Amino acid sequence: MNLVRDLHPLQNLFCNTRNATLVSCSRFAHRACRQSHSLAPQLGRNYQSLVAGAGAVRDATYIPRKEGVSDGAWKQADAEAVEEALQDGARIVKDGGLASKGAEVLLGKSLEELKEFAESRGQPKFRGQQLQDGLVKNLIRDIGEFSNLPKAWRQELLDSGVKTGRSELFGKSESPDGTVKLLLKLHDGRVVEAVGIPPEKDAKGPQRLTACISSQVGCPMRCTFCATGKGGFARNLMPHEIIDQVLHIQEYFGKRVSNIVFMGMGEPMLNLPSVMSAHGFINKTLGIGARHITISTVGVPNTMRKLADYDTQATLAISLHAPTQSLRETLVPSARAYPLEAIMHDAEAYFQATSRRVSFEYTLIDGVNATTEQAKQLAALIRARDMAAHVNLIPWNPVDESDFKRPSRNAVFRFKNTLEACNISASIRITRGLDAAAACGQLRNIYQKNPLIEGLESHAAAA
Ligand code: SF4
């Protein structure tokens, strides 16, 4: 990341020079620094030829951090990035998402809204049902594919810029255990990932299919163990962009998703209005029970109370990763702005308000937070609060550019047993799709390392 950071002024120069190429130039610099540091001085000379051949530069997966944001302690620039994300999140649903930009989106509308939409365009109400069936049952991606609608109306919808709201499948990574990560390209060329986790082959009981979905493009929280946190934040996802991920997973597996976890790219609590709007649709229209939906957070002040106000049956999962404030600050820099004591206080208040058991996520990292003593500290932290809680232990998943190590199997079980001996319910989450780069944001990283810039080498050679 240091080389990337070194090149940021260069990126900024390019981006200020030509805003329209912001995405491309960021990737350009990123690729260049990964290839060879000595290439950096050539970037200026190559830039014009690269822009001239703009067709050779496709799509963005690398998101630069906001100016002033860097590794290390939480700073004012971080707080500003988080505030921007919060404000952006509040604006999306209020302004109507893409509709505010003149493009009406069908996905995410309730049946009633689709009926009203049809009527407002001079069509009978039942067209609303046809639209919903096409979107949700037949997984139609383009207006032109609605063969159950009159051709003239389809054309009218197309002419007036109405969109289904479906994204384009941009890439995928499959693991032998059946886990699949889909890379989805959004309307503005941004890319997010969604993960489908089928049951293990020998699993007994009902056939579950879990979708791990993203809530933001990038993330401003900078958790040190997270691939997404190594980049910056671009924007929040709109409700239909969240729902779309679930449909892609259903389409890929040819079966209904049974469980949803908001553990993909992004901090869902920064985008709560869109997340909860999508949650409502997923629950009511896709028929996935709220109790099968988990919203995961590293902690954003004042948002647990807001989540409680939504009166959802969804599970709140708080990523703790450390039993003490000082250690947590080293793993989750944003902890400085939201101390552990305050998080535990708010978690207790959430339980008191909702009677919903709170889950705590704890990534076990060898030599950092996985000792028996730390298990006892974690147990004491939870037991000090009047709430029902459960701890999910997640043995560390390797991420590039990180020195963290996965603890031994014995150490993982020792930690769990210690918690249970202290009357804290705990389970070990089996890491699925490890070889398909299953940790948060890692599929994006694979593409980041192989960005779709064609011809860069020849441009460099010609310089
Ligand atoms: S773990 Fe979640 S909140 Fe933290 S940086 Fe990654 S995506 Fe953001």
Side-chain angles (χ1 to χ4, degrees), residues 187-221:
H187 74 279
D188 57 357
R190 296 289 190 185
V191 173
V192 290
E193 62 186 48
V195 181
I197 309 165
E200 285 183 277
K201 287 203 171 61
D202 59 353
K204 296 186 176 75
Q207 290 292 293
R208 285 161 42 126
L209 173 60
T210 302
C212 175
I213 57 178
S214 299
S215 55
Q216 299 182 308
V217 183
C219 180
M221 301 304 278

PDB file of all heavy atoms in Angstrom, residues 187-221:
ATOM      1  N   HIS A 187     -24.466   0.522 -12.716  1.00  0.00           N
ATOM      2  CA  HIS A 187     -24.768   1.391 -13.858  1.00  0.00           C
ATOM      3  C   HIS A 187     -23.672   2.410 -14.136  1.00  0.00           C
ATOM      4  O   HIS A 187     -23.493   2.849 -15.264  1.00  0.00           O
ATOM      5  CB  HIS A 187     -26.100   2.120 -13.618  1.00  0.00           C
ATOM      6  CG  HIS A 187     -25.986   3.225 -12.608  1.00  0.00           C
ATOM      7  ND1 HIS A 187     -26.006   2.988 -11.248  1.00  0.00           N
ATOM      8  CD2 HIS A 187     -25.792   4.554 -12.766  1.00  0.00           C
ATOM      9  CE1 HIS A 187     -25.846   4.137 -10.615  1.00  0.00           C
ATOM     10  NE2 HIS A 187     -25.716   5.099 -11.505  1.00  0.00           N
ATOM     11  N   ASP A 188     -22.916   2.787 -13.087  1.00  0.00           N
ATOM     12  CA  ASP A 188     -21.881   3.810 -13.267  1.00  0.00           C
ATOM     13  C   ASP A 188     -20.491   3.204 -13.434  1.00  0.00           C
ATOM     14  O   ASP A 188     -19.483   3.906 -13.334  1.00  0.00           O
ATOM     15  CB  ASP A 188     -21.898   4.782 -12.083  1.00  0.00           C
ATOM     16  CG  ASP A 188     -21.703   4.069 -10.737  1.00  0.00           C
ATOM     17  OD1 ASP A 188     -21.621   2.831 -10.727  1.00  0.00           O
ATOM     18  OD2 ASP A 188     -21.639   4.762  -9.707  1.00  0.00           O
ATOM     19  N   GLY A 189     -20.439   1.889 -13.652  1.00  0.00           N
ATOM     20  CA  GLY A 189     -19.150   1.241 -13.872  1.00  0.00           C
ATOM     21  C   GLY A 189     -18.480   0.788 -12.588  1.00  0.00           C
ATOM     22  O   GLY A 189     -17.467   0.095 -12.621  1.00  0.00           O
ATOM     23  N   ARG A 190     -19.022   1.179 -11.431  1.00  0.00           N
ATOM     24  CA  ARG A 190     -18.465   0.707 -10.165  1.00  0.00           C
ATOM     25  C   ARG A 190     -18.725  -0.788 -10.027  1.00  0.00           C
ATOM     26  O   ARG A 190     -19.666  -1.317 -10.629  1.00  0.00           O
ATOM     27  CB  ARG A 190     -19.110   1.438  -8.985  1.00  0.00           C
ATOM     28  CG  ARG A 190     -18.831   2.929  -8.962  1.00  0.00           C
ATOM     29  CD  ARG A 190     -17.399   3.195  -8.598  1.00  0.00           C
ATOM     30  NE  ARG A 190     -17.168   4.607  -8.342  1.00  0.00           N
ATOM     31  CZ  ARG A 190     -15.963   5.107  -8.093  1.00  0.00           C
ATOM     32  NH1 ARG A 190     -14.910   4.324  -8.075  1.00  0.00           N
ATOM     33  NH2 ARG A 190     -15.809   6.390  -7.868  1.00  0.00           N
ATOM     34  N   VAL A 191     -17.905  -1.429  -9.208  1.00  0.00           N
ATOM     35  CA  VAL A 191     -18.014  -2.880  -9.086  1.00  0.00           C
ATOM     36  C   VAL A 191     -18.144  -3.276  -7.616  1.00  0.00           C
ATOM     37  O   VAL A 191     -17.423  -2.756  -6.766  1.00  0.00           O
ATOM     38  CB  VAL A 191     -16.760  -3.542  -9.708  1.00  0.00           C
ATOM     39  CG1 VAL A 191     -16.752  -5.033  -9.462  1.00  0.00           C
ATOM     40  CG2 VAL A 191     -16.716  -3.258 -11.204  1.00  0.00           C
ATOM     41  N   VAL A 192     -19.081  -4.170  -7.328  1.00  0.00           N
ATOM     42  CA  VAL A 192     -19.216  -4.711  -5.967  1.00  0.00           C
ATOM     43  C   VAL A 192     -19.238  -6.229  -6.040  1.00  0.00           C
ATOM     44  O   VAL A 192     -19.429  -6.807  -7.112  1.00  0.00           O
ATOM     45  CB  VAL A 192     -20.498  -4.242  -5.242  1.00  0.00           C
ATOM     46  CG1 VAL A 192     -20.424  -2.775  -4.896  1.00  0.00           C
ATOM     47  CG2 VAL A 192     -21.733  -4.561  -6.053  1.00  0.00           C
ATOM     48  N   GLU A 193     -19.062  -6.855  -4.889  1.00  0.00           N
ATOM     49  CA  GLU A 193     -19.082  -8.309  -4.895  1.00  0.00           C
ATOM     50  C   GLU A 193     -20.204  -8.860  -4.022  1.00  0.00           C
ATOM     51  O   GLU A 193     -20.618  -8.242  -3.040  1.00  0.00           O
ATOM     52  CB  GLU A 193     -17.742  -8.866  -4.434  1.00  0.00           C
ATOM     53  CG  GLU A 193     -17.362  -8.494  -3.026  1.00  0.00           C
ATOM     54  CD  GLU A 193     -15.958  -8.967  -2.676  1.00  0.00           C
ATOM     55  OE1 GLU A 193     -15.043  -8.730  -3.476  1.00  0.00           O
ATOM     56  OE2 GLU A 193     -15.800  -9.561  -1.604  1.00  0.00           O
ATOM     57  N   ALA A 194     -20.683 -10.018  -4.429  1.00  0.00           N
ATOM     58  CA  ALA A 194     -21.691 -10.749  -3.656  1.00  0.00           C
ATOM     59  C   ALA A 194     -21.226 -12.196  -3.604  1.00  0.00           C
ATOM     60  O   ALA A 194     -20.706 -12.723  -4.585  1.00  0.00           O
ATOM     61  CB  ALA A 194     -23.054 -10.654  -4.334  1.00  0.00           C
ATOM     62  N   VAL A 195     -21.395 -12.822  -2.456  1.00  0.00           N
ATOM     63  CA  VAL A 195     -20.913 -14.196  -2.279  1.00  0.00           C
ATOM     64  C   VAL A 195     -22.095 -15.118  -2.018  1.00  0.00           C
ATOM     65  O   VAL A 195     -22.983 -14.782  -1.234  1.00  0.00           O
ATOM     66  CB  VAL A 195     -19.925 -14.272  -1.088  1.00  0.00           C
ATOM     67  CG1 VAL A 195     -19.402 -15.692  -0.905  1.00  0.00           C
ATOM     68  CG2 VAL A 195     -18.774 -13.308  -1.295  1.00  0.00           C
ATOM     69  N   GLY A 196     -22.101 -16.254  -2.674  1.00  0.00           N
ATOM     70  CA  GLY A 196     -23.121 -17.267  -2.423  1.00  0.00           C
ATOM     71  C   GLY A 196     -22.472 -18.443  -1.717  1.00  0.00           C
ATOM     72  O   GLY A 196     -21.456 -18.965  -2.175  1.00  0.00           O
ATOM     73  N   ILE A 197     -23.036 -18.827  -0.588  1.00  0.00           N
ATOM     74  CA  ILE A 197     -22.449 -19.916   0.201  1.00  0.00           C
ATOM     75  C   ILE A 197     -23.484 -21.028   0.337  1.00  0.00           C
ATOM     76  O   ILE A 197     -24.431 -20.914   1.125  1.00  0.00           O
ATOM     77  CB  ILE A 197     -22.018 -19.408   1.596  1.00  0.00           C
ATOM     78  CG1 ILE A 197     -21.147 -18.153   1.442  1.00  0.00           C
ATOM     79  CG2 ILE A 197     -21.269 -20.499   2.366  1.00  0.00           C
ATOM     80  CD1 ILE A 197     -20.977 -17.365   2.727  1.00  0.00           C
ATOM     81  N   PRO A 198     -23.338 -22.093  -0.433  1.00  0.00           N
ATOM     82  CA  PRO A 198     -24.286 -23.210  -0.332  1.00  0.00           C
ATOM     83  C   PRO A 198     -23.941 -24.065   0.878  1.00  0.00           C
ATOM     84  O   PRO A 198     -22.858 -23.924   1.452  1.00  0.00           O
ATOM     85  CB  PRO A 198     -24.037 -23.979  -1.629  1.00  0.00           C
ATOM     86  CG  PRO A 198     -22.607 -23.707  -1.956  1.00  0.00           C
ATOM     87  CD  PRO A 198     -22.272 -22.344  -1.412  1.00  0.00           C
ATOM     88  N   PRO A 199     -24.844 -24.950   1.289  1.00  0.00           N
ATOM     89  CA  PRO A 199     -24.512 -25.833   2.414  1.00  0.00           C
ATOM     90  C   PRO A 199     -23.398 -26.779   2.008  1.00  0.00           C
ATOM     91  O   PRO A 199     -23.191 -27.038   0.822  1.00  0.00           O
ATOM     92  CB  PRO A 199     -25.816 -26.588   2.669  1.00  0.00           C
ATOM     93  CG  PRO A 199     -26.567 -26.493   1.393  1.00  0.00           C
ATOM     94  CD  PRO A 199     -26.140 -25.240   0.713  1.00  0.00           C
ATOM     95  N   GLU A 200     -22.680 -27.258   3.000  1.00  0.00           N
ATOM     96  CA  GLU A 200     -21.654 -28.246   2.690  1.00  0.00           C
ATOM     97  C   GLU A 200     -22.323 -29.487   2.112  1.00  0.00           C
ATOM     98  O   GLU A 200     -23.462 -29.797   2.450  1.00  0.00           O
ATOM     99  CB  GLU A 200     -20.891 -28.611   3.959  1.00  0.00           C
ATOM    100  CG  GLU A 200     -19.932 -27.530   4.374  1.00  0.00           C
ATOM    101  CD  GLU A 200     -19.138 -27.951   5.584  1.00  0.00           C
ATOM    102  OE1 GLU A 200     -19.667 -27.806   6.683  1.00  0.00           O
ATOM    103  OE2 GLU A 200     -18.021 -28.434   5.411  1.00  0.00           O
ATOM    104  N   LYS A 201     -21.592 -30.195   1.278  1.00  0.00           N
ATOM    105  CA  LYS A 201     -22.194 -31.320   0.546  1.00  0.00           C
ATOM    106  C   LYS A 201     -22.824 -32.355   1.472  1.00  0.00           C
ATOM    107  O   LYS A 201     -23.862 -32.904   1.190  1.00  0.00           O
ATOM    108  CB  LYS A 201     -21.140 -31.971  -0.345  1.00  0.00           C
ATOM    109  CG  LYS A 201     -20.804 -31.097  -1.541  1.00  0.00           C
ATOM    110  CD  LYS A 201     -20.218 -31.900  -2.687  1.00  0.00           C
ATOM    111  CE  LYS A 201     -20.094 -31.057  -3.938  1.00  0.00           C
ATOM    112  NZ  LYS A 201     -19.211 -29.904  -3.779  1.00  0.00           N
ATOM    113  N   ASP A 202     -22.177 -32.581   2.626  1.00  0.00           N
ATOM    114  CA  ASP A 202     -22.704 -33.617   3.510  1.00  0.00           C
ATOM    115  C   ASP A 202     -23.591 -33.034   4.612  1.00  0.00           C
ATOM    116  O   ASP A 202     -23.929 -33.707   5.566  1.00  0.00           O
ATOM    117  CB  ASP A 202     -21.559 -34.416   4.132  1.00  0.00           C
ATOM    118  CG  ASP A 202     -20.619 -33.522   4.924  1.00  0.00           C
ATOM    119  OD1 ASP A 202     -20.804 -32.293   4.868  1.00  0.00           O
ATOM    120  OD2 ASP A 202     -19.726 -34.058   5.593  1.00  0.00           O
ATOM    121  N   ALA A 203     -23.935 -31.735   4.466  1.00  0.00           N
ATOM    122  CA  ALA A 203     -24.746 -31.108   5.516  1.00  0.00           C
ATOM    123  C   ALA A 203     -26.129 -31.738   5.570  1.00  0.00           C
ATOM    124  O   ALA A 203     -26.726 -32.053   4.554  1.00  0.00           O
ATOM    125  CB  ALA A 203     -24.872 -29.616   5.255  1.00  0.00           C
ATOM    126  N   LYS A 204     -26.616 -31.915   6.793  1.00  0.00           N
ATOM    127  CA  LYS A 204     -27.961 -32.465   6.951  1.00  0.00           C
ATOM    128  C   LYS A 204     -28.931 -31.303   7.157  1.00  0.00           C
ATOM    129  O   LYS A 204     -28.534 -30.167   7.332  1.00  0.00           O
ATOM    130  CB  LYS A 204     -27.993 -33.401   8.158  1.00  0.00           C
ATOM    131  CG  LYS A 204     -27.105 -34.623   7.983  1.00  0.00           C
ATOM    132  CD  LYS A 204     -27.293 -35.589   9.133  1.00  0.00           C
ATOM    133  CE  LYS A 204     -26.494 -36.851   8.905  1.00  0.00           C
ATOM    134  NZ  LYS A 204     -25.066 -36.667   9.123  1.00  0.00           N
ATOM    135  N   GLY A 205     -30.204 -31.605   7.136  1.00  0.00           N
ATOM    136  CA  GLY A 205     -31.202 -30.582   7.411  1.00  0.00           C
ATOM    137  C   GLY A 205     -31.566 -29.803   6.168  1.00  0.00           C
ATOM    138  O   GLY A 205     -31.196 -30.169   5.055  1.00  0.00           O
ATOM    139  N   PRO A 206     -32.324 -28.699   6.361  1.00  0.00           N
ATOM    140  CA  PRO A 206     -32.824 -27.930   5.225  1.00  0.00           C
ATOM    141  C   PRO A 206     -31.684 -27.363   4.382  1.00  0.00           C
ATOM    142  O   PRO A 206     -30.633 -27.006   4.907  1.00  0.00           O
ATOM    143  CB  PRO A 206     -33.634 -26.810   5.884  1.00  0.00           C
ATOM    144  CG  PRO A 206     -33.185 -26.765   7.304  1.00  0.00           C
ATOM    145  CD  PRO A 206     -32.678 -28.119   7.649  1.00  0.00           C
ATOM    146  N   GLN A 207     -31.912 -27.311   3.112  1.00  0.00           N
ATOM    147  CA  GLN A 207     -30.880 -26.832   2.194  1.00  0.00           C
ATOM    148  C   GLN A 207     -30.802 -25.312   2.244  1.00  0.00           C
ATOM    149  O   GLN A 207     -31.632 -24.610   1.682  1.00  0.00           O
ATOM    150  CB  GLN A 207     -31.204 -27.300   0.777  1.00  0.00           C
ATOM    151  CG  GLN A 207     -31.022 -28.788   0.591  1.00  0.00           C
ATOM    152  CD  GLN A 207     -29.554 -29.202   0.675  1.00  0.00           C
ATOM    153  OE1 GLN A 207     -28.772 -28.852  -0.182  1.00  0.00           O
ATOM    154  NE2 GLN A 207     -29.197 -29.940   1.713  1.00  0.00           N
ATOM    155  N   ARG A 208     -29.798 -24.824   2.936  1.00  0.00           N
ATOM    156  CA  ARG A 208     -29.641 -23.374   3.040  1.00  0.00           C
ATOM    157  C   ARG A 208     -28.797 -22.856   1.891  1.00  0.00           C
ATOM    158  O   ARG A 208     -27.955 -23.567   1.358  1.00  0.00           O
ATOM    159  CB  ARG A 208     -28.928 -23.022   4.350  1.00  0.00           C
ATOM    160  CG  ARG A 208     -29.823 -23.152   5.557  1.00  0.00           C
ATOM    161  CD  ARG A 208     -29.046 -23.254   6.849  1.00  0.00           C
ATOM    162  NE  ARG A 208     -27.911 -22.353   6.938  1.00  0.00           N
ATOM    163  CZ  ARG A 208     -27.717 -21.503   7.946  1.00  0.00           C
ATOM    164  NH1 ARG A 208     -28.607 -21.405   8.898  1.00  0.00           N
ATOM    165  NH2 ARG A 208     -26.644 -20.757   8.004  1.00  0.00           N
ATOM    166  N   LEU A 209     -29.046 -21.616   1.528  1.00  0.00           N
ATOM    167  CA  LEU A 209     -28.162 -20.917   0.602  1.00  0.00           C
ATOM    168  C   LEU A 209     -28.007 -19.509   1.160  1.00  0.00           C
ATOM    169  O   LEU A 209     -28.979 -18.759   1.254  1.00  0.00           O
ATOM    170  CB  LEU A 209     -28.757 -20.866  -0.814  1.00  0.00           C
ATOM    171  CG  LEU A 209     -27.984 -20.001  -1.819  1.00  0.00           C
ATOM    172  CD1 LEU A 209     -26.547 -20.494  -1.992  1.00  0.00           C
ATOM    173  CD2 LEU A 209     -28.696 -19.972  -3.174  1.00  0.00           C
ATOM    174  N   THR A 210     -26.801 -19.188   1.576  1.00  0.00           N
ATOM    175  CA  THR A 210     -26.561 -17.888   2.197  1.00  0.00           C
ATOM    176  C   THR A 210     -25.958 -16.933   1.183  1.00  0.00           C
ATOM    177  O   THR A 210     -25.035 -17.294   0.450  1.00  0.00           O
ATOM    178  CB  THR A 210     -25.602 -18.038   3.399  1.00  0.00           C
ATOM    179  OG1 THR A 210     -26.193 -18.949   4.333  1.00  0.00           O
ATOM    180  CG2 THR A 210     -25.354 -16.703   4.085  1.00  0.00           C
ATOM    181  N   ALA A 211     -26.495 -15.718   1.150  1.00  0.00           N
ATOM    182  CA  ALA A 211     -25.918 -14.669   0.300  1.00  0.00           C
ATOM    183  C   ALA A 211     -25.234 -13.650   1.204  1.00  0.00           C
ATOM    184  O   ALA A 211     -25.853 -13.105   2.117  1.00  0.00           O
ATOM    185  CB  ALA A 211     -27.009 -13.994  -0.524  1.00  0.00           C
ATOM    186  N   CYS A 212     -23.951 -13.448   0.954  1.00  0.00           N
ATOM    187  CA  CYS A 212     -23.196 -12.435   1.700  1.00  0.00           C
ATOM    188  C   CYS A 212     -23.110 -11.217   0.783  1.00  0.00           C
ATOM    189  O   CYS A 212     -22.487 -11.285  -0.283  1.00  0.00           O
ATOM    190  CB  CYS A 212     -21.810 -12.984   2.035  1.00  0.00           C
ATOM    191  SG  CYS A 212     -20.728 -11.786   2.815  1.00  0.00           S
ATOM    192  N   ILE A 213     -23.760 -10.132   1.167  1.00  0.00           N
ATOM    193  CA  ILE A 213     -23.922  -9.038   0.206  1.00  0.00           C
ATOM    194  C   ILE A 213     -23.282  -7.735   0.681  1.00  0.00           C
ATOM    195  O   ILE A 213     -23.033  -7.536   1.865  1.00  0.00           O
ATOM    196  CB  ILE A 213     -25.418  -8.817  -0.136  1.00  0.00           C
ATOM    197  CG1 ILE A 213     -26.235  -8.537   1.112  1.00  0.00           C
ATOM    198  CG2 ILE A 213     -25.968 -10.026  -0.872  1.00  0.00           C
ATOM    199  CD1 ILE A 213     -27.705  -8.270   0.812  1.00  0.00           C
ATOM    200  N   SER A 214     -23.031  -6.861  -0.286  1.00  0.00           N
ATOM    201  CA  SER A 214     -22.355  -5.587  -0.028  1.00  0.00           C
ATOM    202  C   SER A 214     -23.377  -4.473   0.149  1.00  0.00           C
ATOM    203  O   SER A 214     -24.479  -4.527  -0.396  1.00  0.00           O
ATOM    204  CB  SER A 214     -21.435  -5.239  -1.208  1.00  0.00           C
ATOM    205  OG  SER A 214     -20.448  -6.228  -1.378  1.00  0.00           O
ATOM    206  N   SER A 215     -22.968  -3.460   0.903  1.00  0.00           N
ATOM    207  CA  SER A 215     -23.848  -2.311   1.119  1.00  0.00           C
ATOM    208  C   SER A 215     -23.246  -1.011   0.598  1.00  0.00           C
ATOM    209  O   SER A 215     -23.934  -0.001   0.507  1.00  0.00           O
ATOM    210  CB  SER A 215     -24.163  -2.159   2.612  1.00  0.00           C
ATOM    211  OG  SER A 215     -22.965  -2.088   3.355  1.00  0.00           O
ATOM    212  N   GLN A 216     -21.955  -1.037   0.284  1.00  0.00           N
ATOM    213  CA  GLN A 216     -21.295   0.168  -0.217  1.00  0.00           C
ATOM    214  C   GLN A 216     -20.293  -0.218  -1.301  1.00  0.00           C
ATOM    215  O   GLN A 216     -19.840  -1.361  -1.353  1.00  0.00           O
ATOM    216  CB  GLN A 216     -20.511   0.862   0.908  1.00  0.00           C
ATOM    217  CG  GLN A 216     -21.362   1.319   2.083  1.00  0.00           C
ATOM    218  CD  GLN A 216     -20.538   2.040   3.141  1.00  0.00           C
ATOM    219  OE1 GLN A 216     -19.529   1.521   3.605  1.00  0.00           O
ATOM    220  NE2 GLN A 216     -20.965   3.233   3.503  1.00  0.00           N
ATOM    221  N   VAL A 217     -19.942   0.757  -2.122  1.00  0.00           N
ATOM    222  CA  VAL A 217     -18.801   0.571  -3.028  1.00  0.00           C
ATOM    223  C   VAL A 217     -17.603   1.085  -2.253  1.00  0.00           C
ATOM    224  O   VAL A 217     -17.467   2.279  -2.020  1.00  0.00           O
ATOM    225  CB  VAL A 217     -18.972   1.378  -4.332  1.00  0.00           C
ATOM    226  CG1 VAL A 217     -17.807   1.084  -5.270  1.00  0.00           C
ATOM    227  CG2 VAL A 217     -20.293   1.070  -5.001  1.00  0.00           C
ATOM    228  N   GLY A 218     -16.746   0.152  -1.806  1.00  0.00           N
ATOM    229  CA  GLY A 218     -15.641   0.534  -0.929  1.00  0.00           C
ATOM    230  C   GLY A 218     -16.152   0.719   0.488  1.00  0.00           C
ATOM    231  O   GLY A 218     -17.292   0.351   0.809  1.00  0.00           O
ATOM    232  N   CYS A 219     -15.317   1.276   1.337  1.00  0.00           N
ATOM    233  CA  CYS A 219     -15.705   1.472   2.732  1.00  0.00           C
ATOM    234  C   CYS A 219     -14.725   2.450   3.372  1.00  0.00           C
ATOM    235  O   CYS A 219     -13.522   2.358   3.133  1.00  0.00           O
ATOM    236  CB  CYS A 219     -15.666   0.135   3.476  1.00  0.00           C
ATOM    237  SG  CYS A 219     -16.139   0.270   5.212  1.00  0.00           S
ATOM    238  N   PRO A 220     -15.221   3.374   4.186  1.00  0.00           N
ATOM    239  CA  PRO A 220     -14.301   4.335   4.809  1.00  0.00           C
ATOM    240  C   PRO A 220     -13.775   3.901   6.178  1.00  0.00           C
ATOM    241  O   PRO A 220     -13.069   4.670   6.826  1.00  0.00           O
ATOM    242  CB  PRO A 220     -15.183   5.586   4.944  1.00  0.00           C
ATOM    243  CG  PRO A 220     -16.556   5.042   5.176  1.00  0.00           C
ATOM    244  CD  PRO A 220     -16.632   3.723   4.448  1.00  0.00           C
ATOM    245  N   MET A 221     -14.114   2.666   6.634  1.00  0.00           N
ATOM    246  CA  MET A 221     -13.819   2.322   8.032  1.00  0.00           C
ATOM    247  C   MET A 221     -12.383   1.842   8.271  1.00  0.00           C
ATOM    248  O   MET A 221     -11.925   1.805   9.404  1.00  0.00           O
ATOM    249  CB  MET A 221     -14.815   1.270   8.538  1.00  0.00           C
ATOM    250  CG  MET A 221     -16.273   1.707   8.468  1.00  0.00           C
ATOM    251  SD  MET A 221     -16.613   3.249   9.349  1.00  0.00           S
ATOM    252  CE  MET A 221     -16.779   2.671  11.027  1.00  0.00           C
TER     253      MET A 221
END
